[in-house]
């Protein structure tokens, strides 16, 4: 035993100091514990701090994990939230879960999650803890699975977030009563129980397209050989092909042909066109190759090589048989509308059309000889549509029963001028036009045109030498009837005799009432002229009758050209002889009297003195009657020249006849009167 008083004083002092320190420590505690810790007696008594804070030889983390051993396992194995965050943070419990804040303080709060890297607990990414939550799970609130997530105080032994696992059966009842060997996630997704996603099923049949919406029982009936309950039990069964479940509507030959092309069984050949991701057998994406289509007996060759399926197989029809009736390749009418509307019902389309195209057709000119109208001449060049027109608006073109007469296609270019001969020409094949015209050209006349018969105008004389164009002027372009020949009426007016075409060179002088209207049954120009020549006068020309100027004496001996001067070129009216100067002497003969006998208006009546048609010298002049100077016995004996002497009048020397004086003194004087005798 130590008897040194200093030792005991030291021990006492130490005890006193420790007591004072403990007393101060109790009095300096940060605050009351949270409810979950306060209800644990070991943590709530005097001197219990070391239970959580670790005392002199332990740490707070060790104390926490001593009670929360499941957290310690998560940190050690890397599971859960504590296993996912940084280990330094995970081992610093107080950094996320502080205490001594009173009874109502929640030690797991938003700050706790924020410190762990989760700003919003409501949006916690379960992927951090290895649970890829999706689908319907994302619609759940935290408390739907973690029922104590928002509990103010956890019940004793309760867990706020721990205690759950990812096994579906931990939350959902097992409708299969444990008979299914596969895990739930092998068949079901988080979106819906009905949305099956059978893991590994794609090895046999991907559950996509039309199979995605099927329930398992539709293929795996409970009482069937492939029931769900039998999967995984017993020896493996061979996979089923399409034909195991689906009845094929296709013809056997087509199925066999496709199977041979694809080197598959007939039952598996369906998948060549109907892919697993299709939602129906009528999927738009179905593609049939030319070789596969040929297996149906209808090769997709010209012209069907670019036709879409819908053009032949109408998708709106309700049944497969209606959509795909099966057609022979030459049965055009089964797909194509009969544009002829039954005119060739007894014939196949390929009788006239090629298998590869409807146009151009194969109905040749030689084939047309089988009809009532063989194609010759210009008809060979004619487009079929020019003759075969629709009988009605929007109707089919007529091929059977077409009128084969010329008038059915060609307008009457003659303005019905020959209609009165229809009865006579009706017996002609293809109508009355064919009586004159051939098929090469309308100018190609099969018989000479009888102009006299059909127009009542005989072509004789000079008319016979003229070309048709002389009267029927050709136009620069064909008219609406295709006619280039003009009508006489259009060029010359209504036919009213010669003057219709020929200008009257006489200017109507012979058409007055003083002239005969008819001569031997002939009228107009024909009274004098013939069609051979205008100079041909078969009845002669009575000059006095037609002109009022009788040709006698010297005039009878004169040629026509003496009065009617020939012209170098015919005038606009066709006249080649000039008009006579007039019917008076002065119109043709010079006046030798230099105007001495001109009367008013310049007229001279030569006939008063010169009435002989034979000679100008034969004068009939009665001095006592025709002049104002009577010849007495003395003057009567005188020669004319005794009184009428040559005299210069203007530029002309003529015999002076008038005016002369009538008084004696005008001619006689005592000096020079030749009649007065000299006195002896």
């Amino acid at each position: 035993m130590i008897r040194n008083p200093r030792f005991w004083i030291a021990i006492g002092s130490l005890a006193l100091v420790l007591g004072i320190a403990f007393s101060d420590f109790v009095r300096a505690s940060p605050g009351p514990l949270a409810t979950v810790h306060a209800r644990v007696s070991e943590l709530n008594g005097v001197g219990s701090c070391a239970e959580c804070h670790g005392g002199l030889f332990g740490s707070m983390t060790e104390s926490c994990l001593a009670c929360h051993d499941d957290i310690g396992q998560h940190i050690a194995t890397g599971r859960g939230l504590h296993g996912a965050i940084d280990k330094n943070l995970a081992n610093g419990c107080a950094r996320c879960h502080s205490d001594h804040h009173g009874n109502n303080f929640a030690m797991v709060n938003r700050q706790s999650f924020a410190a762990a890297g989760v700003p919003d607990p409501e949006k916690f990414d379960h992927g951090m803890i290895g649970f890829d939550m999706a689908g319907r799970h994302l619609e759940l609130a935290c408390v739907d699975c973690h029922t104590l997530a928002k509990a103010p105080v956890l019940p004793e032994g309760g867990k706020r977030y721990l205690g759950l696992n990812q096994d579906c059966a931990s939350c959902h009842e097992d409708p299969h009563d444990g008979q299914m060997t596969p895990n739930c996630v092998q068949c079901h997704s988080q979106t819906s129980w009905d949305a099956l996603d059978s893991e590994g099923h794609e090895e046999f049949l991907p559950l996509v397209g039309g199979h995605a919406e099927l329930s398992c029982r539709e293929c795996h009936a409970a009482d069937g050989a492939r029931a769900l309950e039998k999967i995984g039990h017993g020896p493996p069964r061979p996979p089923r092909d399409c034909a195991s479940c689906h009845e094929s509507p296709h013809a056997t030959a087509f199925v066999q042909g496709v199977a041979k092309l694809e080197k598959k069984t007939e039952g598996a050949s369906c998948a060549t066109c109907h892919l697993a991701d299709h939602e129906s057998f009528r999927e738009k994406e179905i593609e049939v190759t030319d070789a596969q289509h040929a297996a149906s007996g209808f090769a997709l060759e010209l012209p069907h090589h670019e036709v879409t399926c819908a053009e032949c197989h109408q998708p709106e029809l309700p049944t497969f048989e209606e959509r795909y009736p099966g057609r022979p390749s030459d049965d055009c009418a089964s797909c194509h509308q009969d544009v002829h509307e039954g005119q060739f019902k007894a014939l196949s389309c390929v009788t006239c059309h090629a298998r590869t195209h409807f146009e151009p057709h194969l109905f040749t000119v030689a084939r047309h000889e089988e009809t009532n109208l063989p194609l010759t001449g210009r008809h060979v060049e004619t487009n079929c549509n020019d003759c075969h027109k629709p009988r009605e608006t929007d109707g089919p073109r007529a091929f059977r029963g077409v009128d084969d007469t010329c008038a059915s296609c060609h307008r009457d270019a003659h303005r019905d001028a020959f209609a009165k001969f229809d009865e006579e020409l009706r017996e002609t094949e293809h109508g009355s036009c064919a009586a004159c015209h051939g098929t090469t050209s309308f100018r190609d006349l099969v018989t000479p045109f009888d102009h006299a018969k059909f127009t009542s105008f005989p072509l004789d004389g000079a008319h016979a030498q003229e070309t048709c164009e002389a009267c029927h002027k050709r136009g620069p372009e064909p008219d609406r009837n295709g006619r280039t020949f003009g009508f006489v009426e259009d060029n010359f007016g209504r036919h009213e005799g010669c003057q219709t075409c020929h200008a009257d060179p006489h200017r109507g002088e012979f058409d007055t009432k003083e002239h005969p209207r008819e001569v031997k049954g002939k009228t107009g120009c024909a009274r004098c002229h013939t069609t051979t020549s205008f100079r041909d006068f078969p009845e002669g020309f009575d000059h006095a009758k037609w002109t009022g100027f009788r040709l006698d004496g010297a005039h009878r001996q004169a040629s026509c050209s003496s009065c009617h001067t020939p012209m170098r070129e015919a005038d606009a009216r066709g006249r080649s002889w000039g008009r006579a100067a007039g019917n008076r002497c002065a119109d043709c003969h010079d006046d030798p009297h230099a105007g001495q006998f001109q009367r008013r208006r310049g007229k001279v009546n030569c006939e008063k003195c010169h009435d002989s048609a034979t000679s100008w010298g034969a004068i009939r002049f009665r001095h006592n009657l025709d002049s104002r100077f009577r010849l007495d016995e003395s003057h009567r004996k005188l020669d004319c020249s005794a009184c009428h002497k040559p005299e210069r009048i203007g530029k002309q020397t003529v015999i002076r006849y008038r005016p002369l004086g009538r008084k004696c003194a005008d001619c006689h004087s005592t000096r020079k009167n030749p009649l007065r005798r000299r006195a002896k």
Side-chain angles (χ1 to χ4, degrees), residues 354-370:
R355 287 181 173 83
T356 56
H357 53 268
F358 282 117
E359 295 180 358
H361 55 73
L362 302 180
F363 198 80
T364 62
V365 173
R367 291 284 304 278
H368 213 283
E369 293 183 1
E370 302 171 13

Side-chain angles (χ1 to χ4, degrees), residues 168-247:
C168 303
S170 65
C171 293
H172 303 281
E173 292 183 4
D174 179 10
H176 306 297
D177 296 330
Q179 296 183 20
M180 296 297 296
T181 301
N183 190 292
C184 301
V185 295
Q186 289 182 274
C187 298
H188 302 283
S189 69
Q190 297 185 49
T191 302
S192 169
W193 287 111
D194 296 331
L196 301 179
D197 184 16
S198 179
E199 182 180 349
H201 204 287
E202 63 274 5
E203 179 183 350
F204 309 104
L205 178 66
L207 295 180
V208 294
H211 295 112
E213 302 298 326
L214 298 176
S215 68
C216 300
R217 288 299 183 190
E218 290 186 67
C219 294
H220 302 281
D223 56 352
R226 297 177 184 270
L228 292 172
E229 293 77 10
K230 296 181 180 181
I231 295 177
H233 301 283
R237 299 179 62 85
R240 289 179 283 186
D241 56 27
C242 305
S244 301
C245 296
H246 303 283
E247 183 179 354

Side-chain angles (χ1 to χ4, degrees), residues 441-460:
S441 169
F442 285 113
R443 299 184 190 180
D444 176 25
L445 301 181
V446 295
T447 57
F449 183 67
D450 190 339
H451 204 279
K453 174 181 178 180
F454 290 111
T455 68
S456 300
F457 187 86
L459 293 181
D460 50 16

Side-chain angles (χ1 to χ4, degrees), residues 107-174:
M107 296 183 68
V108 178
N109 50 48
R110 294 184 69 86
Q111 287 79 8
S112 304
F113 280 100
V118 182
D120 186 356
E122 298 295 334
K123 297 181 180 179
F124 178 68
D125 182 5
H126 285 70
M128 292 179 64
I129 62 173
F131 180 34
D132 294 327
M133 192 167 72
R136 295 292 298 277
H137 286 135
L138 296 178
E139 301 174 11
L140 301 175
C142 298
V143 295
D144 290 337
C145 293
H146 305 284
T147 56
L148 300 177
K150 294 186 178 181
V153 178
L154 287 175
E156 190 171 353
K159 301 291 183 180
R160 194 177 297 276
Y161 294 106
L162 300 181
L164 300 181
N165 60 55
Q166 297 180 27
D167 184 7
C168 303
S170 65
C171 293
H172 303 281
E173 292 183 4
D174 179 10

Side-chain angles (χ1 to χ4, degrees), residues 368-376 379 386-388 391 398-410 426-435 437-439:
H368 213 283
E369 293 183 1
E370 302 171 13
T371 70
N372 293 331
L373 181 65
L375 297 182
T376 59
H379 289 154
D386 292 342
C387 295
H388 300 284
R391 289 194 177 100
F399 290 96
R400 292 290 181 90
V402 176
D403 187 350
D404 60 2
T405 62
C406 306
S408 66
C409 291
H410 302 283
R426 184 169 295 175
E427 297 302 322
T428 305
E429 187 178 13
H430 308 306
S432 58
C433 303
H437 298 284
T439 59

